[in-house]
Amino acid sequence: MTYRSTYQAAATAAPAIESHFERLLQAALLQGGDELAPAPSIRVISSVIDVAFWASLRKEESRSPKISLAYLPPQLAGQPLVFEERILLTPYLLTKLAPAVERSGIHLGIWDDENGDLYVWGTTRSIPDCCFVLEVIEPGLLVVKHRRIKGFGKFINVAVLKGDEIKIIDEDSKSLPDCPAMLTSLIDYNSPTGWNDSVNMLVQLAASMRAHGHGGILLVVPKDNDTWRDSIIHPITYPVTPAFDELRKLMEQKVSGPDLVHWQEEVNRTVENVAGLTAVDGATIINDEMELLAFGAKIGLSSNGGSVEQMLVTEPVIGNIGVIIHPSQNGGTRHLSAAQFVFNQREAIALVSSQDGRFTVFSWSPCEGIVHAHHVDALLL
């Protein structure tokens, strides 16, 4: 019996998600990809979202499920753990299996049988490019995502669903003037990036900042320009001398084969170390070669510039319209001080994580002549 979706947002979002995966598969084939996951149909997308949504509202031993579902057959899953008998996909089943698969990197494998019914065949840590992944973050909050084509690091988010709210990521945002490279990396599945890429490393730092949940500011300043010091109150609470350059050294390494996994583990540990410093009150400062310069720094008014009076706020989702507001309307002290820093230091960018999960990238827009605040939490979930 074919599953019928009753979660209205699932049916509403499914066509846009199907189109994304069709374009993704075509792009991967043009890049010479092989052993690619099949593109999911509208029926599969809406059914998986529906089951996951209702499962997210249930509890097992007072705990809400946190699960990741991947749509692929077992033969594309590397070395999967395969159940002796496949099990029909239902909210009840997902709730029961959730405690076993809630750790990061474990996916429940989903496929359909000859009758079109979806079932769970086992678990896997390995998924191919273009694989449809649905992650349950918290009750009622779901994210559709996939691995970037021939790349490492943060998955590309396609859609975020929270209750009746649907956010479809706008792929065209990467083509807009003044779009920061970090934002492009979060959106553009067609551009392979490796761990030894400074932009992708910044994405990993942002994801780690958001994950620690304390909130924080990360300022990224030019390597060969010290004018940023004019916007920092001295003495700096925790200066780092000499600059901590472990991330830069890791990016310079050329590794492959068996060494690659160990290298990525080292990158992960170093990223978490640096991102953890942003939980300390004040701003953490790195340069654009990923060298740590200071943390706990207080942002002040530059002697060479005035106060920021307005900024443009956008979110890279379909239907979003940018608005110009006073920076004080965008958030608390962190957001205001980050906007002020970028207003005075226009070659820098500022990443701000809130305790509630909101994440903003501040950059200067030469085209608009204004500070641009990009709300990117939908890309980092």
Side-chain angles (χ1 to χ4, degrees):
M1 181 178 68
T2 302
Y3 187 87
R4 292 186 178 181
S5 174
T6 56
Y7 173 40
Q8 184 60 44
T12 303
I17 295 172
E18 181 194 44
S19 296
H20 175 94
F21 278 91
E22 287 176 347
R23 292 192 299 274
L24 173 70
L25 186 60
Q26 291 172 2
L29 289 171
L30 289 174
Q31 293 186 28
D34 55 3
E35 295 188 345
L36 303 172
S41 65
I42 287 181
R43 178 191 62 81
V44 167
I45 294 167
S46 60
S47 296
V48 173
I49 291 175
D50 185 277
V51 174
F53 173 77
W54 295 117
S56 77
L57 303 182
R58 304 167 69 104
K59 289 189 176 182
E60 180 71 10
E61 297 181 348
S62 301
R63 293 168 62 98
S64 298
K66 293 183 179 180
I67 47 180
S68 178
L69 310 177
Y71 177 69
L72 77 168
Q75 57 267 30
L76 292 181
Q79 295 181 317
L81 183 157
V82 181
F83 302 155
E84 182 177 0
E85 295 183 5
R86 58 195 187 191
I87 310 171
L88 189 67
L89 179 67
T90 65
Y92 174 81
L93 172 66
L94 294 185
T95 307
K96 288 296 183 182
L97 288 178
V101 295
E102 64 181 12
R103 296 192 179 187
S104 177
I106 304 176
H107 311 277
L108 280 175
I110 308 297
W111 196 237
D112 35 16
D113 61 18
E114 58 279 0
N115 298 317
D117 293 325
L118 292 167
Y119 63 88
V120 178
W121 52 255
T123 70
T124 179
R125 283 187 171 273
S126 174
I127 59 173
D129 290 347
C130 304
C131 184
F132 169 86
V133 174
L134 177 67
E135 186 173 353
V136 177
I137 305 295
E138 61 185 42
L141 177 58
L142 315 176
V143 181
V144 177
K145 56 181 63 178
H146 59 80
R147 280 178 49 189
R148 61 181 70 247
I149 299 174
K150 296 183 180 179
F152 298 106
K154 176 74 179 67
F155 279 28
I156 299 288
N157 288 3
V158 180
V160 177
L161 297 91
K162 186 172 185 179
D164 59 358
E165 181 183 11
I166 302 171
K167 292 183 178 181
I168 304 295
I169 305 304
D170 186 359
E171 299 168 33
D172 293 333
S173 296
K174 64 180 182 291
S175 303
L176 297 176
D178 303 332
C179 183
M182 175 187 167
L183 185 58
T184 301
S185 179
L186 281 165
I187 297 172
D188 191 4
Y189 61 79
N190 200 34
S191 177
T193 57
W195 278 98
N196 57 344
D197 178 282
S198 61
V199 172
N200 196 32
M201 198 72 76
L202 200 57
V203 169
Q204 311 315 314
L205 284 167
S208 185
M209 283 176 64
R210 189 181 185 280
H212 69 52
H214 294 282
I217 302 177
L218 180 66
L219 305 177
V220 186
V221 300
K223 165 72 173 179
D224 299 318
N225 190 333
D226 277 348
T227 59
W228 60 268
R229 294 182 180 276
D230 190 51
S231 295
I232 298 296
I233 297 173
H234 294 272
I236 297 175
T237 308
Y238 304 108
V240 178
T241 306
F244 179 72
D245 58 1
E246 189 63 24
L247 279 177
R248 178 184 60 79
K249 289 178 178 178
L250 285 167
M251 287 194 300
E252 291 174 351
Q253 295 179 21
K254 303 297 182 183
V255 295
S256 60
D259 294 332
L260 186 59
V261 173
H262 175 71
W263 181 50
Q264 291 176 9
E265 290 174 351
E266 287 297 316
V267 169
N268 275 326
R269 281 193 287 268
T270 308
V271 162
E272 290 180 0
N273 182 19
V274 174
L277 298 175
T278 64
V280 176
D281 186 39
T284 297
I285 305 172
I286 64 173
N287 62 32
D288 49 18
E289 292 188 4
M290 299 296 110
E291 295 174 327
L292 174 67
L293 307 177
F295 65 100
K298 308 299 184 184
I299 298 172
L301 282 174
S302 170
S303 59
N304 299 317
S307 299
V308 58
E309 297 296 336
Q310 61 180 4
M311 67 181 188
L312 174 65
V313 180
T314 61
E315 185 177 19
V317 298
I318 292 175
N320 175 261
I321 298 176
V323 295
I324 295 177
I325 62 172
H326 190 277
S328 62
Q329 297 177 265
N330 185 58
T333 304
R334 284 194 185 104
H335 294 80
L336 180 58
S337 61
Q340 182 65 55
F341 185 86
V342 169
F343 179 74
N344 294 135
Q345 306 297 331
R346 298 180 181 181
E347 294 182 5
I349 65 171
L351 282 57
V352 181
S353 176
S354 300
Q355 292 179 349
D356 62 4
R358 192 161 55 122
F359 203 101
T360 309
V361 177
F362 292 87
S363 63
W364 178 256
S365 171
C367 290
E368 302 293 339
I370 195 172
V371 174
H372 192 161
H374 306 265
H375 288 173
V376 298
D377 34 288
L379 304 177
L380 290 172
L381 286 166

